[in-house]
Amino acid sequence: MAEICCEETKSTPPASASAITALARGRPRVEMAVAEAACRSSSSSTPAADEGAGGGGGASATRCGKRRRVACAAPVRSCQRSRTTSGFGSTWWWPRYGVTSVCGLRREMEDAVSIRPDFLRGAADPSSGKHHFYGVFDGHGCCHVARMCQDRMHALVADEYKKAGSGNSATAAAAEPAWEEVMKKVFARMDGEAATRAASRSSNGSIACRCELQKPTRCDHAGSTAVVAVVSPTSVVVANAGDSRAVLSRAGVPVPLSVDHKPDRQDELERIQEAGGRVIYWDGARVLGVLAMSRAIGDGYLKPFVTAEPEVAVTERTDDDECLILASDGLWDVVTNEMACDVVRACFRSNGPPSPPAARPNGVLPPPAAGAGREGDDGAASPVKGVDKADSDRACSEAALLLAKLALARRSTDNVSVVVVDLRRRC
């Protein structure tokens, strides 16, 4: 599979601003629109990129007849990086990533993706380094809850992070909040905002969404899964509610950072039954025979059987970390964790090797040598030959696109959204 994907990679042109490339391979025809977000690194604004159904500044995908439209967004690039602090594990380490969203066989695009580099600027201790937010939201019933999560989730995380850290001591170790409590409060607030929106729209005569046109008095019959990751130089924090998934590739082995919330999962089944609900098998296990997941944001009509409380995992970074994959169930329904990680590693191999272990003993890069190494992000020479930033960008974008194409080839019937983050050591 990895070799097949590599061959497809060689035929895929690199992403560029406002470029639209048509790829035709039999039927159905696949059209890919590639859009690259502009660079934002000024101190007065935080760089951000949103991908999803109609999201601000992001690529969107719709289906017309027998055509599938694929939207692939290239990662936002940092304009400035310190020559001596650009290595992994440093204060200003900046990850590379690729994003792809595919409407697939669905009539509507209900997925949304949010990418917010350095989203804790001003809220986190500068000595703890940059924190980057990645989120994949798979809507159902309508896309408006997923779009709300896309627009608001990162801001709620930043707010709760600031509140949790304000009561701690001034030391960096103590200032880091308990991420599990932060994420649970964030998901509860997001669920509350979705419920408030549903209540206000149900009593309002105006129509602002297609779901209101179909069922204007039932705006709470929509929801969204949410899998979000906060990546820092030392850890990866993942919070999940629903059947979207996060997987870490470490030393060639896939490490699941989330577990799908399916109604027939033993602990979820017991929780639903204790709350007075039932799991009915109607085209698969469903809560009350309706929803195929047991946790989600929104879906007020299924409370308390469907809860928004996330499961949170905090994972320390290691030298063996390769990539982080966030994706909706449109990918995971037809692609295994092992296969997804294999595709990403194949793209990494075809776009330059990582720094050799001998070049970074104990995970620490040696001090810069005059005139040695590869060109850095600020135009200066980096000390050790490692993963070039352009190679990393290209590898992540190609990997995300190939995973989406693989899901379509394996007959996925859902929207597919994929985020690939490069976690390898680099100069």
Side-chain angles (χ1 to χ4, degrees):
M1 178 56 65
E3 289 76 13
I4 295 175
C5 290
C6 281
E7 291 299 323
E8 292 187 0
T9 299
K10 295 178 181 178
S11 64
T12 304
S16 59
S18 304
I20 301 179
T21 305
L23 300 181
R25 298 191 64 167
R27 294 183 180 179
R29 182 179 177 185
V30 180
E31 294 185 356
M32 291 176 292
V34 182
E36 181 175 339
C39 170
R40 295 288 186 272
S41 63
S42 63
S43 59
S44 60
S45 62
T46 300
D50 287 331
E51 312 299 335
S60 62
T62 56
R63 177 177 180 268
C64 179
K66 293 185 178 180
R67 288 186 175 184
R68 302 178 206 167
R69 299 183 183 271
V70 181
C72 174
V76 175
R77 290 174 170 80
S78 171
C79 294
Q80 298 178 351
R81 241 185 269 178
S82 171
R83 170 181 174 180
T84 60
T85 60
S86 59
F88 174 90
S90 66
T91 299
W92 304 114
W93 176 78
W94 197 283
R96 298 293 170 174
Y97 58 89
V99 183
T100 299
S101 288
V102 184
C103 187
L105 296 176
R106 291 295 179 92
R107 294 178 59 88
E108 301 289 342
M109 182 61 177
E110 295 180 333
D111 283 4
V113 178
S114 179
I115 310 293
R116 306 282 176 165
D118 194 19
F119 79 111
L120 292 181
R121 181 184 301 179
D125 189 330
S127 64
S128 64
K130 294 182 183 291
H131 294 70
H132 312 295
F133 177 92
Y134 304 90
V136 173
F137 311 102
D138 182 2
H140 47 264
C142 188
C143 62
H144 68 261
V145 177
R147 291 181 181 178
M148 288 180 63
C149 294
Q150 179 188 51
D151 295 336
R152 290 281 296 148
M153 185 75 83
H154 70 285
L156 296 180
V157 173
D159 184 51
E160 290 297 333
Y161 181 97
K162 186 175 181 180
K163 290 179 180 178
S166 62
N168 293 329
S169 64
T171 62
E176 192 73 9
W179 275 108
E180 183 172 3
E181 292 303 318
V182 168
M183 288 301 185
K184 287 183 177 180
K185 291 179 180 178
V186 167
F187 275 61
R189 287 179 61 180
M190 193 71 251
D191 188 56
E193 290 187 10
T196 301
R197 191 263 186 197
S200 63
R201 298 309 305 175
S202 296
S203 59
N204 193 335
S206 62
I207 296 177
C209 190
R210 65 176 179 84
C211 69
E212 298 172 16
L213 182 63
Q214 298 171 355
K215 45 188 183 228
T217 61
R218 298 165 61 188
C219 293
D220 62 344
H221 285 52
S224 175
T225 70
V227 57
V228 302
V230 177
V231 180
S232 74
T234 58
S235 65
V236 177
V237 181
V238 171
N240 177 59
D243 54 7
S244 297
R245 191 183 306 169
V247 177
L248 172 71
S249 178
R250 174 174 289 172
V253 178
V255 180
L257 300 185
S258 65
V259 182
D260 299 352
H261 293 124
K262 295 293 188 180
D264 55 351
R265 206 178 90 176
Q266 187 60 37
D267 55 343
E268 291 295 287
L269 176 62
E270 293 174 358
R271 180 186 60 80
I272 293 170
Q273 292 176 342
E274 289 175 359
R278 295 179 60 192
V279 174
I280 300 174
Y281 288 83
W282 181 271
D283 190 22
R286 297 176 180 270
V287 178
L288 301 186
V290 178
L291 194 61
M293 66 206 69
S294 57
R295 301 194 189 193
I297 294 174
D299 297 304
Y301 73 112
L302 290 176
K303 303 294 184 185
F305 317 127
V306 175
T307 177
E309 181 177 348
E311 289 185 322
V312 184
V314 181
T315 306
E316 295 299 319
R317 302 283 301 275
T318 71
D319 287 354
D320 295 327
D321 292 347
E322 297 165 325
C323 68
L324 174 67
I325 305 172
L326 303 178
S328 58
D329 66 328
L331 174 72
W332 304 119
D333 284 346
V334 295
V335 176
T336 64
N337 295 349
E338 293 78 6
M339 188 180 298
C341 292
D342 287 344
V343 169
V344 176
R345 285 196 300 272
C347 291
F348 283 173
R349 287 195 299 269
S350 65
N351 286 279
S355 302
R360 44 178 174 81
N362 299 322
V364 179
L365 291 171
R374 178 191 298 259
E375 186 180 3
D377 294 331
D378 57 355
S382 298
V384 181
K385 182 178 180 181
V387 180
D388 182 81
K389 65 184 183 68
D391 290 341
S392 180
D393 276 344
R394 182 167 55 252
C396 290
S397 297
E398 290 175 353
L401 180 58
L402 285 176
L403 287 174
K405 292 172 67 177
L406 179 61
L408 293 179
R410 296 176 71 89
R411 299 294 186 264
S412 174
T413 59
D414 203 351
N415 303 147
V416 182
S417 293
V418 184
V419 177
V420 176
V421 184
D422 187 353
L423 301 181
R424 296 174 296 174
R425 310 305 202 201
R426 68 176 66 91
C427 298

